[in-house]
Amino acid sequence: MPPKLLTHLLLALVAVSGAAAARRHPAPANFTASGNPVYIWPLPKNFTSGTQTLAVDPDLALDPQGAGAGAAAVAEAFERYRHLIFSPWAHAARPASAGYDVARLTVVVASADETLELGVDESYTIYIAAAGGANSIVGGATIEANTIYGAIRGLETFSQLCVFNYDTKNVEVRYAPWYIQDEPRFAFRGLMLDTSRHYLPVDVIKQVIDSMSFSKLNVLHWHIIDEQSFPLEIPSYPNLWKGSYSKSERYTVEDARYIVSYAKKRGIHVMAEIDVPGHAESWGNGYPKLWPSVSCTEPLDVSSNFTFEVITGILSDMRRIFPFGLFHLGGDEVYTGCWNLTPHVKQWLDEHNMTTKDAYKYFVLKAQEIAIDLNWIPVNWEETFNSFGGSLNPRTVVHNWLGPGVCPKVVAKGLRCIMSNQGVWYLDHLDVPWEEVYTAEPLAGINDSAQQKLVLGGEVCMWGETADTSDVQQTIWPRAAAAAERMWSQLEAISAQDLETTVLARLHYFRCLLNHRGIAAAPVTNFYARRPPIGPGSCFVQ
């Protein structure tokens, strides 16, 4: 029997047996068949469980099957997760006569296509059972996915099912047999990282990417540059990074490519941003001609061809680094008053019969044209839509941030939207509790199914004015995980849960998991995010 057909048969058998068990012992969507909480974050779409405990072999072997399972990314992901699951001494402690229920992890990947693009198939199924059970043909664990990225998501879920037993010193899968069928609710599940207000070393960005993969976030929005610093090397205009804080707080082209590659191996896109025409004062440190004048250092000079030559050079260089189909062009908080006060810009405005508001639109649309010519889909902050939404390129993705009610207006006009309402999903707002992060809904106010499809998803934003290497992870986590479940899991399942009695216990558990994996996630129930514990206690109840 072909391996894929065998897998389908196994999955069908466990689904039938699990469904029968569920009929006999109905349980809420976030509990196992035996009534215990399902400590998987984010909550899978469909699953059934049992009452068995299975021992997992510390010599767990990967059995790759299917056209894509031989990809290096699958083998590397398996090794990463095996390292997370097992203690370093697990192999040495393995008794020679030990018998294990799960000695092999079969990973079946249908497609060999490793292209990572928005909407890539991240679905997967998992089957875990012991040999000799009433409904099992062979023992072990199987992950089946259409793409390597679905397989990577499945490996994360499998790792969360594996729990170390300190009494037996075995890794166990409890409440087996398991059948899980899972896929994300939204294609875009983002975290914005700001490296312009404080420089973050490459190793810190890698840690953020790792932690994103643990909660199945899949877009790192890299806000690289802002008015305070320009840390990225741009070969076409090498003086731009004179706007960095110092020579040791910079990213080379090679650094950026490495970050993109590192993220791709974890199924994470990198969406870069240059924010124009505002938030760009740092550009003029290397090229003062980009400033309208020494007393008007932003917005960039709309009247100068050189401004758009530099933007073209930046985007052309960045296109060779960032393959993701979306590129963020900013466009927020553009205070145009000094354009009117700068003689040569004022003259240009008069010659073109433009107000400063007209010039703002002209700048944004011209930047969009440059990005589109480079085969990018432009993303702009919502002020562009609020100011001249009818003039934006139809391909534009509008990024909400100012408050609620924006995405309904955007999709009603046929444009796409990303939700980041600052009242709930700005992580630098330290007084926003996890409950408000969790219950924020990207589709709020949108009832038409066609319009709902125009909401790509959402993004939590880690603005960096008050965050650097010392506190960035505990500011991101665990609240970002609350948004991650909102964007991954099915609305019906997560909306039906009681926050205090069902969600909170699982979020405590996931925060502890992050801590065990070396991620400095703060206590869940802080009055003020990133506050340390106030006294002794378990990470499960902080």
Side-chain angles (χ1 to χ4, degrees), residues 271-314:
M271 178 177 70
E273 177 181 0
I274 62 166
D275 197 344
V276 294
H279 290 277
E281 181 180 0
S282 62
W283 300 31
N285 291 310
Y287 296 95
K289 289 195 300 181
L290 293 167
W291 291 335
S293 72
V294 292
S295 61
C296 175
T297 54
E298 62 181 21
L300 296 170
D301 191 341
V302 67
S303 70
S304 172
N305 289 332
F306 180 65
T307 299
F308 297 100
E309 290 171 8
V310 172
I311 291 174
T312 299
I314 292 171

Side-chain angles (χ1 to χ4, degrees), residues 144-428:
E144 183 172 310
N146 291 320
T147 70
I148 65 171
Y149 305 108
I152 290 169
R153 301 289 175 253
L155 283 164
E156 172 59 41
T157 299
F158 174 76
S159 75
Q160 292 187 28
L161 290 171
C162 294
V163 178
F164 184 71
N165 184 326
Y166 279 86
D167 293 323
T168 64
K169 295 187 179 180
N170 277 331
V171 169
E172 298 173 346
V173 173
R174 298 164 185 170
Y175 315 120
W178 280 97
Y179 167 71
I180 298 172
Q181 185 276 321
D182 201 10
E183 62 183 350
R185 183 177 170 219
F186 291 104
F188 188 108
R189 309 179 305 282
L191 166 66
M192 193 217 73
L193 197 63
D194 174 7
T195 60
S196 61
R197 275 51 181 266
H198 283 98
Y199 173 82
L200 296 174
V202 171
D203 278 351
V204 174
I205 297 174
K206 287 168 56 182
Q207 291 168 10
V208 172
I209 291 169
D210 285 337
S211 58
M212 289 174 65
S213 71
F214 300 155
S215 64
K216 298 185 175 72
L217 292 173
N218 73 336
V219 180
L220 176 67
H221 171 186
W222 191 5
H223 188 87
I224 310 173
I225 300 154
D226 211 289
E227 62 189 48
Q228 291 87 353
S229 74
F230 196 117
L232 181 66
E233 179 184 18
I234 302 294
S236 295
Y237 291 92
N239 288 339
L240 281 169
W241 70 354
K242 287 185 176 181
S244 62
Y245 288 120
S246 70
K247 287 187 176 181
S248 63
E249 294 171 289
R250 292 174 169 177
Y251 303 103
T252 65
V253 168
E254 291 78 13
D255 286 334
R257 286 190 175 131
Y258 176 74
I259 288 167
V260 169
S261 173
Y262 189 88
K264 182 180 180 182
K265 291 177 181 179
R266 288 148 183 82
I268 294 173
H269 313 275
V270 179
M271 178 177 70
E273 177 181 0
I274 62 166
D275 197 344
V276 294
H279 290 277
E281 181 180 0
S282 62
W283 300 31
N285 291 310
Y287 296 95
K289 289 195 300 181
L290 293 167
W291 291 335
S293 72
V294 292
S295 61
C296 175
T297 54
E298 62 181 21
L300 296 170
D301 191 341
V302 67
S303 70
S304 172
N305 289 332
F306 180 65
T307 299
F308 297 100
E309 290 171 8
V310 172
I311 291 174
T312 299
I314 292 171
L315 294 187
S316 296
D317 286 353
M318 294 177 82
R319 195 65 178 105
R320 290 186 280 271
I321 301 171
F322 300 101
F324 186 44
L326 276 61
F327 188 90
H328 209 302
L329 291 167
D332 63 313
E333 297 181 324
V334 181
Y335 306 115
T336 58
C338 74
W339 279 348
N340 263 332
L341 301 176
T342 306
H344 75 274
V345 179
K346 174 60 172 162
Q347 180 181 348
W348 183 88
L349 291 172
D350 292 341
E351 289 173 353
H352 290 80
N353 194 29
M354 284 188 188
T355 65
T356 55
K357 183 176 180 180
D358 295 330
Y360 168 39
K361 179 174 74 171
Y362 167 82
F363 200 119
V364 167
L365 297 183
K366 194 169 180 67
Q368 283 196 337
E369 289 176 6
I370 296 170
I372 290 168
D373 285 345
L374 291 166
N375 198 32
W376 259 323
I377 295 169
V379 183
N380 285 98
W381 294 109
E382 71 173 78
E383 286 97 325
T384 60
F385 175 81
N386 297 337
S387 298
F388 43 85
S391 299
L392 292 172
N393 187 284
R395 300 177 68 187
T396 303
V397 177
V398 177
H399 194 168
N400 150 253
W401 75 275
L402 284 170
V406 175
C407 282
K409 297 176 183 176
V410 170
V411 299
K413 295 292 186 182
L415 297 176
R416 290 176 290 179
C417 193
I418 296 167
M419 193 279 273
S420 289
N421 176 1
Q422 65 172 334
V424 287
W425 280 6
Y426 266 32
L427 299 173
D428 59 311

